[in-house]
Amino acid sequence: MSKQDQYTMTDPRTQYDSEHTHYNSDQPDPALDKKLDPSADHGETTYRGSERLKGRKALVTGGDSGIGRAVAIAFAREGADVVINYLPSEKVDGESTLEILKEAGVSAKGIAGDIKEEDFCVSLVDEAKGFLDGLDIVVNNAGKQQFVEDIENLTTEQFRTTFETNVFAMFWITKAAAKYMPPGGSIINSTSIQSYQPSPGLLDYASTKGAITSFTKSCAKMLIEKGIRVNGVAPGPIWTPIQQSGGQAPGKLPNFGENTPIGRVGQPAELAPAYVYLASQESSYVTAEILGVTGGKHLP
Ligand code: NAD
Ligand code: MG
């Protein structure tokens, strides 16, 4: 855990402990933040808000853990009311996140459900809009990632469910949300360095991230007609449950992130300011952009 807020000048190489020799303890599904060992930093004790999203109404998918939790915490501390979505099996993480959001003094609600279902995506957006009394910001962040070394073992079912979770749900949620969002609204999609530098073993996942990058750019050009900006964030290697439950090759986790120029794995807390920037009016002239937060691995 970092001991300082996001404004304190620090050497980024040593901002977080790089001793992670026990990063190989695999978790069975569902992957929970509660069981993540060592734990991740979502800015719980450090993110300092300054009303950059005061009064905004935000929906964050995958807001229970990892990057989504860090984003939800940052949004709440910047003054936004927040609805988070997560899989029902991750309710325990969702409830922990909600407690932190409520401590920020904003309205917060969790809506559990599976975004592989179109009907659920539509009802999620409707319910979020009803609770928040509007919808200004949508973060399509939930995702599925399972490493499979050999194409022979990559099943059609996995290929399909990875696309349903990562791409189809984004389409369904964005379509349902766009009709409610006012000019000035912002949609932010979690893509990945895998969109630009795909790894073997992540064939289905990397393909969805390529699709998300193109979806983001096309959607941005379409929705600017309504005054809505659409951008993406491309994280590099970040320490979250998705990685510990089959997201990486067996044995890769002890050195995860060390091949970046910064030389260590990233923490979810280090992603949140990118999402805050893209959500806020500070990024008024930014749309169809993919912002890399990669430890120095570059996007083309
Ligand atoms: P995470 O496991 O903490 O978050 C993923 C979330 O997606 C889960 O909490 C889960 O509740 C949700 N989810 C998965 N399937 C779902 C479904 N069918 N219905 C509803 N919710 C579902 O991991 P994370 O790393 O924070 O992942 C967040 C996003 O960041 C993902 O899109 C991931 O691809 C992306 N990303 C992560 C990394 C990394 O290194 N961790 C790198 C690049 C991109
Ligand atoms: Mg989770």
Side-chain angles (χ1 to χ4, degrees):
M1 288 273 177
S2 178
K3 301 214 171 7
Q4 59 231 358
D5 66 28
Q6 73 273 27
Y7 299 116
T8 308
M9 192 164 127
T10 310
D11 184 336
R13 299 168 300 174
T14 51
Q15 183 165 339
Y16 288 95
D17 183 8
S18 61
E19 289 297 312
H20 41 80
T21 47
H22 54 309
Y23 269 19
N24 54 355
S25 49
D26 276 2
Q27 270 201 50
D29 241 15
L32 294 178
D33 175 75
K34 192 168 184 263
K35 291 194 263 169
L36 196 63
D37 178 25
S39 57
D41 184 3
H42 309 88
E44 289 93 335
T45 59
T46 54
Y47 189 92
R48 187 155 59 89
S50 51
E51 304 197 339
R52 292 166 70 191
L53 299 174
K54 194 170 166 53
R56 300 290 216 288
K57 304 155 194 299
L59 168 63
V60 181
T61 67
D64 57 307
S65 60
I67 295 165
R69 176 188 286 194
V71 169
I73 291 172
F75 281 9
R77 297 210 180 142
E78 297 292 357
D81 294 329
V82 184
V83 169
I84 59 170
N85 156 254
Y86 41 82
L87 278 170
S89 54
E90 297 177 28
K91 188 166 173 241
V92 57
D93 282 352
E95 284 175 352
S96 304
T97 303
L98 285 168
E99 270 178 42
I100 304 167
L101 303 186
K102 287 174 187 162
E103 280 166 16
V106 298
S107 299
K109 182 182 170 77
I111 302 176
D114 189 337
I115 59 170
K116 292 198 298 302
E117 306 294 329
E118 182 174 3
D119 289 351
F120 173 72
C121 289
V122 173
S123 72
L124 169 67
V125 170
D126 283 346
E127 206 182 321
K129 184 236 175 199
F131 174 79
L132 297 165
D133 195 24
L135 195 55
D136 304 319
I137 301 163
V138 173
V139 180
N140 285 304
N141 166 73
K144 173 183 163 71
Q145 175 186 339
Q146 283 292 305
F147 176 88
V148 176
E149 188 159 16
D150 188 337
I151 195 167
E152 279 293 318
N153 300 325
L154 179 57
T155 63
T156 299
E157 194 207 349
Q158 173 170 326
F159 201 84
R160 183 176 285 132
T161 54
T162 306
F163 267 84
E164 284 169 350
T165 310
N166 297 4
V167 182
F168 281 72
M170 182 171 288
F171 165 57
W172 293 324
I173 290 169
T174 301
K175 183 177 175 181
K179 65 177 188 283
Y180 296 137
M181 293 175 73
S186 171
I187 297 173
I188 307 164
N189 300 326
S190 292
T191 179
S192 172
I193 186 75
Q194 288 292 323
S195 170
Y196 303 92
Q197 300 181 36
S199 303
L202 292 176
L203 182 57
D204 53 335
Y205 175 82
S207 302
T208 65
K209 294 297 169 177
I212 290 168
T213 296
S214 294
F215 177 95
T216 301
K217 293 177 181 178
S218 175
C219 198
K221 292 173 190 165
M222 194 180 247
L223 292 187
I224 199 59
E225 298 301 322
K226 295 175 187 284
I228 299 168
R229 294 179 298 106
V230 186
N231 293 289
V233 174
I238 312 300
W239 184 234
T240 70
I242 213 174
Q243 303 297 2
Q244 212 187 24
S245 61
Q248 292 296 333
K252 190 175 170 195
L253 286 186
N255 307 104
F256 189 47
E258 285 176 5
N259 64 353
T260 62
I262 288 185
R264 62 169 173 84
V265 73
Q267 293 292 329
E270 299 181 279
L271 272 294
Y275 288 80
V276 170
Y277 167 68
L278 292 172
S280 80
Q281 202 59 29
E282 291 164 88
S283 56
S284 56
Y285 201 55
V286 180
T287 195
E289 177 64 334
I290 306 293
L291 185 49
V293 184
T294 61
K297 288 186 160 219
H298 43 83
L299 315 181

